[in-house]
Amino acid sequence: MRSSRWNDHLRACNKNRIRKHERCVLDNEEIIDTLRKSKITSNEISKRISETEKAESEIQATRKNYLPIATRGALLYFVVASLTQINHMYQFSLDWFRQVFLSSVVSKSKEQEEHGLKREKVPPKKVHELVVSAALFNQHKLCFAFLLCTAIMKNNASESPPEDGIGSLPEEEWNIFLYSSILINTKGVMPHPRLDRLYEMDRSRHLRWVSHARWKQCRYLSRQLEAFSSLCRSLLFNVSQWSAFQASTALYLLLGTPFSAERDSPDESEKSPEETELLNEHEELHRPVNFPWEKLTPFQRLILIKILRPERLKNSVRKFLTEKIGSEYIHRTGINLKESYKDSNARTPMILIHSQGVDVINTLLKFAQELKGTTQHVTMISLGQGRAAKAEDLIADALAKAGQWVFLQNCHLAASFMPRLCTIVDSLSNPNVTVDPKFRLWLSSESDSSLPVPLLQKSLKIAVEMPMGLKSNLLKTLGHDGSGEVTEEIFEKPTCGPWWKKLLFSLCFFNALINERRKYGMLGWNIGYEFNPSDFEVAVKMLENTLTAQPAVPWQKLHFLLGEVVYGGQVTDPWDQRCLNTLLYRFCNPDVLTCDFSFFSEEAQSFMDNLVALQPRMGQPSLVISREPSSDDLVMEMVTNMQKRLPMTVEKEERRGAQSTLRSIMAGSVWEALNKGLEGYDPLIHCVLLSFLKQEIERFDKLLLVIHESLKDLQLAIKGKIVLTPELEEIYNSFLKARVPALWQKHAYKSCKPLASWVNNLIQRLNFFNTWAKMAYTAIYHRYMRFTLAWKHSSTSPKLEKNFFEGFPARYWLPAFFFPQAFLTAVLQDYGRAHGISTDALTFTHQVIPSTIGSKEEEFSIMVQKTLNLVRRAFKSTDPSHIGAHIFGLFIEGARWNPEEKILEDSLPREICCDFPEIYFLPTKVSPETPAAANPPESEGHTFECPVYQTPQRSSTSITTGSPSSLTSVFLPTRRPPSHWITMQVALLCEKNEK
């Protein structure tokens, strides 16, 4: 560019000289000489311009070769950086990433040059290995690999065609995968009455497994993506295809092959009259549709699985990753300290991130012994109060010697020492400080936010976990890896009698089982207990002491020591304690000593099959990590939708100053006159349930105020009119992750529902209380008018007819209350007041109310009941006795109710949680002979005491909140022994798990 401008300048100068020269130009030698030199200079400039253009094209070509590598590096870095949102310990600096990525690029380039290959995009394997194989917990490794793959695929969507063969991922499909449950409520689903009516009819038959939320997502999916346009019609009419889909355990592979079974539709004899009439009106709906799922892209298969079979999503993601980026990204469990040690150096600390109960000391000492043949070079100290100075001295002493290791344990317990430790680590990086190459600084910590980010970024992180699976746990305990708790010497003890080996193995199996149950969430334990290796060591010692020099096995003593002291000492939930003792009896009873005993009896095998059929819920990471660029519009749409749907208060004040609501009439002169004027006990005016209702309304009004204020502030913050505070940012992120914001949870009832379902459920609760409040207000007002009329015509205090059923529901929706246990207490108090009995002397007996539907109407009526408004169900008809309470709206998890035989039975396949019928809670005076038995056992079969919980999380929040572990318990008849249901953790819930 500069040469071109100089060339133009020469031409302009020459023109000026020629113009100024008055005589013949050829007579002026100076001008001729100048023109000759200009020509030479111009030729040189032209040559330089061509050379520059050639060099520039070569630079652009070289840059184009490296641009994909740089783009891939940026993608990988932002995925790695986003891991901190999963766990605070996953901190990785840009300097660290740059070193790892450059080493990966250099090694790959050398390999390609040696083999004469064309330079390709650098795969993320090096970064994946160094990060995932060591630093992440097993539950997060799959999430990271999936994010890695989808980030590459989303970037490939802008290329045509993608160069790496992984494929592309449109933004629309990614958003549907993440936010399908949100999008159906914000953007809405176009109504299709015919399909919806057919779905409701089939809901009681072959589509029992497709919930209303899943059906709405299928409708949305069929409208948004062309590949799913026939999904809904196929679900309704192709029974065999979707039965195969429901029964498959390898869904991802199934969706990759065409469905070859004959097309069929529901049998004519199975159709209800309404369905037959609908199909006759619309003949096109009668034709069955074979859904071409083999034409779906691999990611579209995941979308379908996520919506209809979410319990199979993790397994399908593994297949997806294997197909896209290779099986090496699905890492095995376990740690490899040897490989991590090779990647470390003396100036970089190594931090062992562990969960509670993991013995990292034994892990490190075993590695030190294996590496150097001794542990003399390892100096350890457990950090805590007053240990900081000692730890600092140990590091200084080790640096002054050769080949020393320092191990600082439990860094999460020494938050005040962490800044000083960070300074010490910084000093090790100083090139002026001499550090022995064989020196290592080892740290251990649980996941804790008190650890400084700079320390974590500079450390080489290694995640240490308990072994996963019964087999791995048993092998570790029995010393398969050389460091088990049960050595050959312990197993061969001759002083413990002939039954020692069998009981010791039973104890090993029991220890592995109670640890493995944790990964099944609430179906394992209500609270996730961490049983330490030290618990097992103490249990073995107690077993040895109990059996030594004994002529027989003291079973009762063993049950108490193991079930109540060693393991039971950690169990805080009474229902978990019951489960623990039941399991212990299976592994510690006289049958274990028989020669033909097997741990896998038919009952135990059935129990294990049910557990394996469940997808573990405890360790499921959220795949939503970063928000999309268009998230502001999505959140604004959600905010506007909620503001329209949610009322400002439970009761609407019709006129200012008038007592037109239940709260106002109970706080005014009408209520005061009735309380003072009526003699004796009045079942309406003196009812505890009315006071309870008023308190519930106040709680919901407070919650609605918090919700509307936060929604208004969030709207203003998104528009930029006010500052986006951390509290508003948390609400913003919660909306994108379909979670209820923490601010709302603080003022709300207990619930584990995702955001969309939570809002729908809140509206139903508000309608229930609004209707009850209106009925109560009307009853009180009528009672006051009758009281006033009677008072005018009587000189004494008026006596009114006492109709208790006025102003109260016929059935109570127990899950609607903030505190269901307070409602049950209020029912007992009302009964006690009416009959002059102390509440402490009362308990409930329970009766499951059978359905009154005839056999011919049963199919269609079940569908109607499912969609019947909860308010109509609660207030439909009246109960003239109104003794006790009829409860509905509960679900049973881990079992099902057989309405024909009126007993508890095992769940149907893939139906872990299902609706439970109405229950009649009848207050009964506790008998002094049998004070603990609310329901006597029936003559045939058994009675199981089933706990009732408010959420699917059961007792997991009872420790922090201080609330009781369960709301109450219900006695249910069963043919199986209660121990079967106890080990299955069967419980009644106020809401289903919709996650």
Side-chain angles (χ1 to χ4, degrees), residues 391-407:
E392 197 168 343
D393 292 340
L394 286 179
I395 296 175
D397 293 342
L399 286 172
K401 300 176 183 178
Q404 293 296 301
W405 290 5
V406 177
F407 183 28

Side-chain angles (χ1 to χ4, degrees), residues 844-848 919-922 934-935 968-972:
F844 283 114
T845 55
H846 313 99
Q847 180 184 353
V848 180
I919 306 176
Y920 180 34
F921 279 67
L922 176 64
N935 272 36
T968 183
S969 60
V970 175
F971 288 84
L972 301 175

Side-chain angles (χ1 to χ4, degrees), residues 564-587:
E564 301 291 340
V565 179
V566 180
Y567 292 103
Q570 292 196 46
V571 178
T572 55
D573 183 77
W575 303 105
D576 283 340
Q577 182 66 58
R578 181 181 71 164
C579 180
L580 179 75
N581 289 333
T582 304
L583 287 171
L584 178 63
Y585 182 79
R586 288 189 174 184
F587 290 89

